[in-house]
Amino acid sequence: MEVDTVDHKKTFRAAWEDSANTTCELPPLDVNQVLADRYELASPLIFTRTMLWDMEIRKSRRPDIYIPYVVSGAAQSWGEDDIFVRSSTQRLWLAPETYGLVLEQTHLDHANQIVTFIGAAEVPGPDGELLHAGTGQPVFHVEHGVSGTEERPLNTWRIVSLTETPDPRFVEVFDRIAASPYLPGFLEIYIREVLEIELTRR
């Protein structure tokens, strides 16, 4: 089914620059440095920028596989290879014991290695029926990116929640995520399941 699209970059930028919204940007994650500092690996690994972008592409379609600690049940996506809609049931940021439907208009920018998710309150489903996102939290947009060099890639992440005024409770959640000394779970899953290298936290 053809997907009605938004201007992903323009929409994200406008939301980010709107002072009423709540924004958070995590520090760039040096994947190989964290692997060296915090993990034992079953075999040597230099995690490359190519691998990191491959992970982001896979995760964009299958959050149920790569962030199962956030997503409940199976995720759906429909549309073209690089522009599609994603539907998944996710934990709420401020009430992680509660789940809600999250609808995201997604764009893969291969040239700049950025995935942009534009949250939506409603979108047509794959059969044309209108889907409605959960109302337990504000709609949010997320930008996942890859930077750095081929042998020293950096994973980037920023989020903007569409709030009436900035809400420090969301910032606290993302600050806790940033404070973790380990890789995000999706990178551990990619290394284990795709690269087939076991790793152990230390």
Side-chain angles (χ1 to χ4, degrees):
M1 152 177 201
E2 185 176 349
V3 173
D4 291 330
T5 63
V6 298
D7 185 325
H8 297 79
K9 292 181 180 179
K10 182 178 180 180
T11 301
F12 188 94
R13 183 172 61 252
W16 186 265
E17 293 174 353
D18 186 337
S19 61
N21 292 331
T22 303
T23 62
C24 187
E25 183 169 9
L26 301 189
L29 177 73
D30 186 331
V31 180
N32 285 307
Q33 189 64 59
V34 176
L35 282 171
D37 291 346
R38 293 290 180 172
Y39 290 87
E40 299 291 342
L41 287 94
S43 57
L45 171 64
I46 296 177
F47 199 93
T48 65
R49 181 168 175 159
T50 300
M51 293 173 184
L52 189 56
W53 181 236
D54 179 56
M55 182 279 301
E56 289 291 1
I57 293 171
R58 292 170 184 257
K59 178 163 61 69
S60 70
R61 284 277 187 180
R62 296 302 306 270
D64 48 339
I65 292 176
Y66 286 92
I67 51 172
Y69 44 90
V70 173
V71 172
S72 176
Q76 284 187 292
S77 64
W78 55 95
E80 302 301 324
D81 287 343
D82 297 338
I83 298 176
F84 56 92
V85 175
R86 187 173 86 171
S87 169
S88 59
T89 302
Q90 300 186 15
R91 293 181 184 274
L92 304 189
W93 294 113
L94 301 183
E97 70 286 351
T98 304
Y99 290 81
L101 183 64
V102 174
L103 303 170
E104 296 166 294
Q105 299 170 91
T106 307
H107 177 237
L108 298 176
D109 179 351
H110 295 280
N112 295 299
Q113 296 189 324
I114 294 171
V115 188
T116 305
F117 298 93
I118 299 301
E122 58 183 34
V123 296
D127 58 1
E129 181 180 358
L130 195 62
L131 301 178
H132 300 274
T135 57
Q137 66 184 4
V139 168
F140 58 89
H141 310 328
V142 186
E143 187 181 85
H144 297 258
V146 177
S147 64
T149 65
E150 179 64 11
E151 294 193 350
R152 192 169 185 179
L154 304 175
N155 202 193
T156 62
W157 187 90
R158 58 180 182 159
I159 185 171
V160 51
S161 296
L162 308 187
T163 50
E164 294 182 359
T165 58
D167 191 332
R169 296 176 300 167
F170 290 102
V171 177
E172 290 171 5
V173 170
F174 306 128
D175 283 347
R176 288 196 296 271
I177 293 173
S180 172
Y182 298 104
L183 295 176
F186 52 78
L187 277 166
E188 293 184 349
I189 290 168
Y190 181 85
I191 292 169
R192 287 194 179 100
E193 303 299 326
V194 178
L195 303 183
E196 299 182 341
I197 297 175
E198 187 55 46
L199 70 168
T200 305
R201 291 180 174 186
R202 65 174 184 223

